[in-house]
Amino acid sequence: MGKPAFGLTTLFSDSFEGVTSNASAWRYGTGSIASALATGDSFSINTSSALLVVSDAAPYSSGSPVVVHSISGSNFYATADKVLQLNMELTITNSAVVYTLGLFDSSSPAYAVGANSIALSVVPGATSNNVTLYATGSSGAVVSTVTTTVMQSQLIGTHNYALQVDYIASTVSPVVRAYSNGVLLATLTFTANDGIHPQASGASQGTAVRPFVRGVSTTGSGASFALKRVNLYSYTPGALLSQLQASRAVNRGVFGQNILAGEEKYYYSMYGNGFWNPATMTYSSILVNKAKSELGTVTSLRYPGGGMACRFDFRKTIGPVSDRVDATDTDGSGNVTVKGKWSFGLDEFMSLCKTFGAEPMYTAPDVLLPAAQMPEHVANLVEYLNAPATAGNPWAVKRQTYTGANASGYGVRYFEMGNETYYLESEMNALTYSAYVRDGGWAMRAVDPSVQIGVVAKESGRELQNDWDATVLENTGSVVDFVILHIYQPFSSTGDKVYSDPIKVEKTAMAMGDYLEYQLKATHDTIDVLAGKRLPLAITEFNAQLVNKTVGVPTYRLSYALGMQMSDMLRVFLKPEYGVITANYWQMFSNSYGPLSYNLYATATASTTFREYPAYPVFKLWGQHFKGSTLLTTTVSGPQSSYPGYRGIAPAMGSTYQPEAYLGSMDLTATISSQIASINTDLAGAGTATATMNGDALQIVFNGYDSNRGGSLGNWPQIATHTYSSPGRYDYVLSYEARYVAGATSPSRPLWITAASEGDTTSNLTMDPIVNSSYQPFYGWYRSEVSSNQATVTLNILSGSTATTSVTFSGTLQVRNMVMDLYRQESLPAHSIISSTASLSSDGNTYYVIVANKSNYAVPTTLSFSGFTGSSAKYWQVNTPTTWKADLDTAVWTVSGSAFALTGGASAAYTFPPHSMTAIEVYK
């Protein structure tokens, strides 16, 4: 199995293959294995292949007692708030063996009759097997049971069985799941007083449990029943956060990057984003060496995407390259072109991680296969990556065969369950995604209990209170280990003309770091409520989505100002109190988002050239000059700057934090009713659409309706407008119930509702599509960017029409119980224009400091190195004439390793130049 994940409590994990000294650890009834063998009983120890064998040569009758592993006299304790998992490897040669495996309460002397046990029993048949999951009470009688039928092939042969007992939600009614090779066989919630109930025993122990196996065969049947490997685990999903927050070690997981599984649009990779030479099947040392020397330790690599992950099939990327699947491209006329094979596949990625010493973050697919097949697929993925290459693990055997090594597995810890799955609503909604996370996560843990499972969140901060996130976190919080965030702030599109103002770009970038601290705190507070527990965060994508209006000019996200913003975000991610386990920048190695530009297909040649946009030297400063192992507490006092707020980023002004305040709730039913006439006016177009009030619900009946009106979009209907007493910048929460019953034809794009403040052209709330025929609740939050005293709710209708093609649809929409809650916006204190992070080397001899001056004027500063006295210091500095340009002004090293004057060894006085990034190293 893979190594236990950070925060995983592995109370017992052992392998008994070939260990004859453990014979006495097995009991047959009340006697030891040794005496059982001496009297001719049916058990034997085969040190070369199996720990326990039951065969037809000496049949094991149904009246015999259970076989019990007593763990050499010690006890394994089941405790509340944990998952107890038993893994066994069994080989069954045919259907003539009836067998049972499970756990019993060894604190009871009645274990010989099967009292207080939890077990999986299999009764094989000619073509299928009856599988029963059950619990027994104090007398040994079965009191909770569920039976299913599975194909014989799932249980005949060599298989890894997992029995999971989940005490997270309840100690008296645990959820129990049984797996064969990661495939869920059965699940059952036990009733009170059944099976094993964790009880307090001393300060930290619970109920003593032991595993058992029982087999029954028939003489002359040719049956063989062999047991090999017994592992018993206890772990708590989501146990990383408390340990992360207690640590002051520099978490280098935040200096992560993304590696896409494919170049261009073909969803396959030959060049590994420029790291791989497919001609020689070796690395491009030029790019590898550049990344190592300039970016320091690339400590986390995320793969295979991005959007590519949603349908990424690892099976196409493994094995000899000649046997891998060809990638193809189909043009608009249906012509298929073969593009090439996966020269850079899963094993090559794992080798790249080893080259960098990076922790892999694997993004599992979410819609690759039909939902029912996905848990088995991700279990096979974990087996390929992590399981030992033994007969019971065919995918792991393939891994060893293909690579010629890695017999024990790669030990991948972190798995994301999909990528931005909320964009795939038509294929997987919040409820079906939640089911996938639960079932897929448990199937993965059945193969390797040490894996850490992450769930996709749509928003962060208070915006987590939306339909998707509320549903997903409430339904998966008990089983996941971390929450996945993608942070692209500030965010703009080509319609946001405000970003033609470079001053707006600069001010937003400089305010983002301080805002991020409040945002992450609000994220944790909201997750606490929705998930029912505190979970760590994985920021697997972060950047800014900024558009430059000047044609032919690179995007603002490559500018020096945005490089400074990314630096400030790293400063925040490093703080243990925000519980960030990894952060992966999107995307240094892509030629799209990243500030390093190069030919993806030519990095193996000596003529490779790189263009470094102004943001790149900021990353180099961190990589080359922040090498400490212990994070130091850093405080900054000095001048501050106000920020008006934009695109969901709160204003920052004054000296204190002003929390948001609830101002009231508005039922919009009456408003909707009063606007029926204007709604019908707005709906006028090709075909008919008629709005009425059906009781307390707005009802719109579409009949052959074309929202494009033959090419002219017209006005989308404003279904509610609310005016309040005084203008201001407000936050809104909109909630309602809605349903859509499709008629003969339905829109190729569904209906949805938006809301915005009057006059706000840069920010609005877009709710999830209305696609269900029964009423569904909707809930969303947004922040106005202008001062207004009026909010408007609009119905968006797109039938998929174009200016030249009319597409009509029919159906009935109903909306009811629409309420808008009004809040005064939160306001942050004015943000500091100086930010800093410090660390100490492992030997205590070097003090590393990163300082950013986020203003356009020089700032005289006094630096104090608490508890440290240096004899000398050096500094490195990056700057540029104009912070916001990405095309003309390249950030340069204005200072490189010059002497930095100390005052008495424990402090220094220095004036930081405008918009400068400075690294200081102080030496004892």
Side-chain angles (χ1 to χ4, degrees), residues 535-759:
L535 290 166
L537 307 175
I539 317 294
T540 57
E541 294 182 22
F542 71 96
N543 204 314
Q545 180 66 34
L546 291 170
V547 175
N548 193 328
K549 293 295 175 179
T550 305
V551 176
V553 175
T555 175
Y556 281 134
R557 65 174 169 265
L558 304 181
S559 69
Y560 179 72
L562 268 296
M564 293 187 73
Q565 176 185 317
M566 297 303 109
S567 171
D568 224 22
M569 293 175 76
L570 290 174
R571 170 185 67 84
V572 176
F573 294 154
L574 280 167
K575 292 187 174 184
E577 56 264 39
Y578 299 123
V580 177
I581 57 175
T582 183
N584 302 78
Y585 176 68
W586 185 272
Q587 178 190 19
M588 189 65 69
F589 310 111
S590 70
N591 275 349
S592 175
Y593 269 74
L596 182 63
S597 177
Y598 56 93
N599 185 342
L600 291 174
Y601 315 106
T603 54
T605 67
S607 60
T608 299
T609 58
F610 297 92
R611 177 175 182 181
E612 299 176 2
Y613 285 104
Y616 184 74
V618 176
F619 288 93
K620 288 172 63 175
L621 195 76
W622 279 90
Q624 294 179 337
H625 301 290
F626 193 76
K627 299 179 179 179
S629 59
T630 301
L631 190 68
L632 304 176
T633 301
T634 304
T635 57
V636 176
S637 60
Q640 297 176 319
S641 177
S642 295
Y643 171 68
Y646 188 73
R647 298 297 296 179
I649 299 177
M653 55 192 67
S655 59
T656 60
Y657 173 72
Q658 176 180 284
E660 97 179 343
Y662 176 66
L663 301 178
S665 179
M666 298 159 281
D667 186 337
L668 299 182
T669 302
T671 302
I672 294 172
S673 180
S674 69
Q675 294 185 199
I676 290 295
S678 63
I679 293 172
N680 279 308
T681 299
D682 289 339
L683 284 169
T688 62
T690 304
T692 59
M693 291 300 294
N694 185 347
D696 62 352
L698 168 66
Q699 176 174 289
I700 302 178
V701 178
F702 301 96
N703 185 12
Y705 187 73
D706 177 14
S707 67
N708 230 27
R709 287 108 185 214
S712 176
L713 188 61
N715 295 318
W716 281 337
Q718 295 182 357
I719 59 177
T721 302
H722 185 80
T723 303
Y724 27 94
S725 57
S726 59
R729 290 178 57 159
Y730 298 106
D731 289 347
Y732 306 87
V733 174
L734 181 67
S735 61
Y736 54 91
E737 295 176 309
R739 66 179 179 181
Y740 175 72
V741 179
T745 58
S746 60
S748 56
R749 292 186 64 183
L751 313 171
W752 70 96
I753 285 174
T754 61
S757 292
E758 184 69 22

Side-chain angles (χ1 to χ4, degrees), residues 435-502:
Y436 166 56
V437 172
R438 292 194 308 270
D439 297 343
W442 285 123
M444 294 162 78
R445 287 197 180 105
V447 178
D448 183 355
S450 74
V451 297
Q452 300 288 308
I453 305 298
V455 64
V456 172
K458 183 178 181 180
E459 303 288 355
S460 58
R462 192 171 182 274
E463 293 185 44
L464 281 166
Q465 299 178 65
N466 61 74
D467 304 327
W468 173 276
D469 289 322
T471 299
V472 169
L473 290 171
E474 287 170 357
N475 282 280
T476 66
S478 64
V479 299
V480 299
D481 302 290
F482 59 93
V483 175
I484 303 155
L485 302 182
H486 289 176
I487 299 178
Y488 288 92
Q489 288 181 303
F491 186 94
S492 72
S493 64
T494 54
D496 293 330
K497 296 180 180 180
V498 67
Y499 277 111
S500 62
D501 179 3

Side-chain angles (χ1 to χ4, degrees), residues 82 115 275 295 314 364 376 434 448 487 584 593 602 606 698 829 860 869 878:
K82 292 185 182 295
F275 283 105
L295 299 177
F314 80 96
E376 181 178 0
S434 298
D448 183 355
I487 299 178
N584 302 78
Y593 269 74
L698 168 66
T869 301
V878 177

Side-chain angles (χ1 to χ4, degrees), residues 198 250 285 424 716 909:
V250 172
S285 59
L424 307 172
W716 281 337

